[in-house]
Amino acid sequence: MPEASEKFNTAMAAWQQWQEAPWGRLRYTVAEANLARHLDALDAGPLRVLDLAGGDGGDAVRLAARGHHVTIVDYAADMLAAARERATAGGLTELITCVQADVSTLPADLADAEFDVVLCHNLLQYVDDVPATLAAALAPLKRGGLFSVMALNRHSAALNVAVREMDPAAALAALGTDQYQARTFDAALTLHTAEEVIPVLQGLGCQDVRHYGIRGFCDYITDDARKYDPAYYADLERLELATTARAPYMHTARVFQLTATKG
């Protein structure tokens, strides 16, 4: 995706600010907790993780801090430079490798590496062919390995507009489209649902697919300033962690995460 890389490079400051905000922190904390549910079931010892479209290492640094070896693949050079800086700051340079490449055409040494874990987070909304992207993402994963896919949830779009913008007309319009304009990267996105992606994963041979929701409450609380209060944030984090796998909240969460085992 070379044409998209410049947008990511120029939006670095806004992206890093978003990551440090309460909603950004929740995205990474809950995703890490969901992965941790499954990582212990894999073989003991450090795991080999492939983080596709891993950007500046938001997921990678957390997994490396747990002792795992993470290879980040991304097309945006500035994102990878930021990932290396984060690895250095955290003393994780020996555990994080950065590779500049298009995730759809991985270098042969990665495509054939048989990783224990593959992450495909926040990529689907940028691609035209979801089944082909998921197939390419699963290819480097060894049999029995853990796959994690994450994307913006189309079910949340209308609710988000109605609650945060108090615009029922715009919310009604959102019900009839899968298109969304992202502010941080000024990019046109295609929204998906977990219910659409699950059968695709199963058709590709994935087993034991689990559905989680991320930010099932945070994005519908309109007082953003209060979320910066440490005590309030702590309560919000506990709530999000308690409901990430609980119906009906994962269905309306702003982000869906699916984990699966490669058959």
Side-chain angles (χ1 to χ4, degrees), residues 59-237:
D59 288 307
V61 294
R62 289 171 176 262
L63 291 173
R66 290 173 174 263
H68 304 304
H69 297 269
V70 187
T71 298
I72 303 171
V73 175
D74 203 283
Y75 206 95
D78 285 359
M79 283 285 188
L80 292 175
R84 294 186 188 97
E85 291 177 3
R86 294 176 81 164
T88 300
L92 301 169
T93 54
E94 294 184 0
L95 294 175
I96 294 179
T97 302
C98 296
V99 178
Q100 186 175 8
D102 191 317
V103 298
S104 63
T105 53
L106 291 175
D109 61 326
L110 295 183
D112 301 329
E114 293 204 329
F115 286 88
D116 301 298
V117 181
V118 171
L119 309 183
C120 184
H121 291 175
N122 295 326
L123 174 61
L124 296 190
Q125 55 260 40
Y126 294 100
V127 303
D128 296 324
D129 192 334
V130 169
T133 299
L134 291 175
L138 282 163
L141 182 63
K142 73 177 185 181
R143 186 179 179 86
L146 179 67
F147 185 60
S148 176
V149 58
M150 179 189 299
L152 282 173
N153 177 20
R154 191 169 77 242
H155 287 321
S156 73
L159 184 59
N160 188 261
V161 171
V163 172
R164 297 197 63 84
E165 300 179 18
M166 300 181 64
D167 189 341
L172 182 61
L175 290 174
T177 181
D178 61 1
Q179 297 301 296
Y180 176 77
Q181 189 68 28
R183 296 177 181 176
T184 302
F185 294 115
D186 188 27
L189 309 180
T190 299
L191 303 183
H192 306 283
T193 68
E195 292 80 2
E196 294 168 344
V197 177
I198 288 173
V200 177
L201 292 175
Q202 293 171 331
L204 292 170
C206 289
Q207 302 171 351
D208 192 26
V209 181
R210 303 293 181 91
H211 179 190
Y212 302 103
I214 296 177
R215 303 205 319 263
F217 291 86
C218 175
D219 288 40
Y220 307 121
I221 299 172
T222 57
D223 188 351
D224 286 341
R226 192 174 182 187
K227 298 169 192 174
Y228 285 88
D229 174 74
Y232 186 86
Y233 176 83
D235 286 340
L236 181 58
E237 182 181 276

Side-chain angles (χ1 to χ4, degrees), residues 34-45 47 68 116-117 142 144-146 208 210 261:
N34 292 338
L35 287 172
R37 296 169 183 246
H38 305 281
L39 293 179
D40 291 342
L42 300 177
D43 291 338
L47 300 172
H68 304 304
D116 301 298
V117 181
K142 73 177 185 181
L146 179 67
D208 192 26
R210 303 293 181 91
T261 301

